[in-house]
Amino acid sequence: MKKILVPIDGSPNSIRGLEKAIEFASNDNYSITILHVATLPPVHIIGHSKDKVKKSLAKKSQKFIKDAEDRCINQSIPFTTKLVYGSDPAYDIEQFAKKYKHDLIVIGAKGKSTLKRLFLGSVSSYLVETTKTPVTVIK
């Protein structure tokens, strides 16, 4: 079975990416990995224990991760969900795809970024330029 990696961040574009991945998976023998990279702030900024920050980030992502899982369930698409903590989502996604040998990455063109105006689509651009895994970018 081939594997599609779908990074999500709760943005409308990431959900469109998931919908396209579900379409691909329903036409072929694919499974989907729903991946959320929770970005940890630098250690000197945190002010709380790392575990407390991780719990808070996981809680904030629960709703859109559950929504993504429900979309796969409703279409009878096999899936797994992964929540990873990192500092550079683009790099973390690339490494995850490589480590777990995904056949395709389907990602929304723009996500939720605190620097959205400066780096519009920076994660998808990075993946297109650097990863050896094929990438489909959804607008």
Side-chain angles (χ1 to χ4, degrees):
M1 180 177 286
K2 292 187 177 184
K3 300 189 304 185
I4 302 173
L5 179 61
V6 184
I8 63 168
D9 62 5
S11 69
N13 276 319
S14 73
I15 298 304
R16 280 193 287 281
L18 175 64
E19 289 295 328
K20 183 53 79 173
I22 288 171
E23 182 182 321
F24 291 158
S26 66
N27 292 330
D28 293 306
N29 192 24
Y30 284 97
S31 67
I32 290 177
T33 303
I34 300 165
L35 174 66
H36 176 59
V37 178
T39 306
L40 290 170
V43 175
H44 65 281
I45 294 176
I46 294 177
H48 298 286
S49 75
K50 196 179 239 186
D51 288 338
K52 194 172 189 176
V53 172
K54 283 183 176 182
K55 284 181 185 177
S56 174
L57 290 171
K59 187 174 181 177
K60 288 179 183 179
S61 63
Q62 279 179 332
K63 185 177 179 182
F64 66 81
I65 289 173
K66 175 78 169 99
D67 175 63
E69 292 172 339
D70 288 345
R71 289 170 189 264
C72 289
I73 290 168
N74 290 339
Q75 297 296 319
S76 301
I77 303 299
F79 72 94
T80 57
T81 305
K82 299 293 180 183
L83 171 63
V84 299
Y85 299 93
S87 59
D88 182 351
Y91 178 79
D92 297 332
I93 293 165
E94 176 188 26
Q95 293 305 304
F96 189 92
K98 182 178 176 182
K99 180 177 181 179
Y100 295 103
K101 297 179 172 77
H102 284 85
D103 300 291
L104 175 66
I105 299 170
V106 178
I107 187 168
K110 305 170 202 165
K112 285 185 175 179
S113 171
T114 54
L115 300 173
K116 192 172 182 178
R117 293 184 179 181
L118 294 176
F119 299 107
L120 205 56
S122 61
V123 173
S124 57
S125 293
Y126 174 90
L127 291 171
V128 167
E129 292 175 22
T130 62
T131 189
K132 293 182 181 179
T133 304
V135 178
T136 299
V137 180
I138 306 301
K139 285 186 163 190

